[in-house]
Amino acid sequence: MFTDAVKTIEDQFAKNISLNLHHSGDGILNELTINTNFNNLVVFLDINMPKKNGLEVLEVLRKDEKFKKVPVIMLSTSSDARVIDKALELGANLYAIKPTSYDILKNIIVKIIHINWSEFNSSANNFVIRA
């Protein structure tokens, strides 16, 4: 499912906005911290990654001053309230529960990329996107 999510994100960003997209399948962010325009950055993190999970990466990002205001969207098949609460506590802006349908995933990604992050206020009421 990770590969499908990455492909969907790449496809939808290519169709909807112009940007440079980089991804790391293991949770290591070396490329992200080099030559990055932090004003136009949105980070998608999968909860399940092999080296560092998404919550661990989120915690590292939020401790780095450069990433304090960067929108971070968590992606997961998990709807476990403890995981969702932890993501909110660690500073994620949004938690998207990945559906099994490609079309629904595509719609969720399109919705996310059209969010005006300068006006978006994360709260328990609008934190989770479900199919």
Side-chain angles (χ1 to χ4, degrees):
M1 186 64 155
F2 175 75
T3 304
D4 291 344
V6 170
K7 179 77 171 118
T8 302
I9 292 168
E10 289 173 343
D11 290 349
Q12 293 311 309
F13 271 85
K15 288 178 186 174
N16 288 281
I17 57 178
S18 175
L19 77 145
N20 293 320
L21 184 64
H22 303 279
H23 73 274
S24 168
D26 59 11
I28 305 302
L29 298 173
N30 296 334
E31 278 188 41
L32 189 58
T33 59
I34 301 170
N35 299 321
T36 298
N37 178 353
F38 290 91
N39 294 323
N40 297 315
L41 182 65
V42 176
V43 175
F44 286 83
L45 292 174
D46 198 315
I47 295 291
N48 296 312
M49 294 184 286
K51 293 186 180 174
K52 283 190 176 185
N53 72 45
L55 294 173
E56 292 170 324
V57 174
L58 174 61
E59 192 168 16
V60 169
L61 288 178
R62 290 306 190 218
K63 288 179 181 176
D64 186 329
E65 195 60 39
K66 296 181 299 259
F67 287 95
K68 291 277 186 192
K69 294 186 179 181
V70 173
V72 176
I73 296 90
M74 305 305 294
L75 295 170
S76 182
T77 55
S78 173
S79 58
D80 184 329
R82 294 171 298 189
V83 175
I84 293 169
D85 290 345
K86 187 67 174 175
L88 181 61
E89 175 189 321
L90 290 173
N93 298 86
L94 205 59
Y95 188 99
I97 298 173
K98 292 189 287 187
T100 55
S101 161
Y102 175 82
D103 288 332
I104 296 172
L105 177 61
K106 180 178 72 171
N107 292 337
I108 289 171
I109 299 302
V110 169
K111 182 177 179 178
I112 291 170
I113 64 175
H114 285 99
I115 291 174
N116 181 345
W117 292 106
S118 63
E119 296 177 6
F120 188 82
N121 183 17
S122 297
S123 70
N125 295 334
N126 66 350
F127 184 63
V128 178
I129 293 181
R130 299 177 196 274

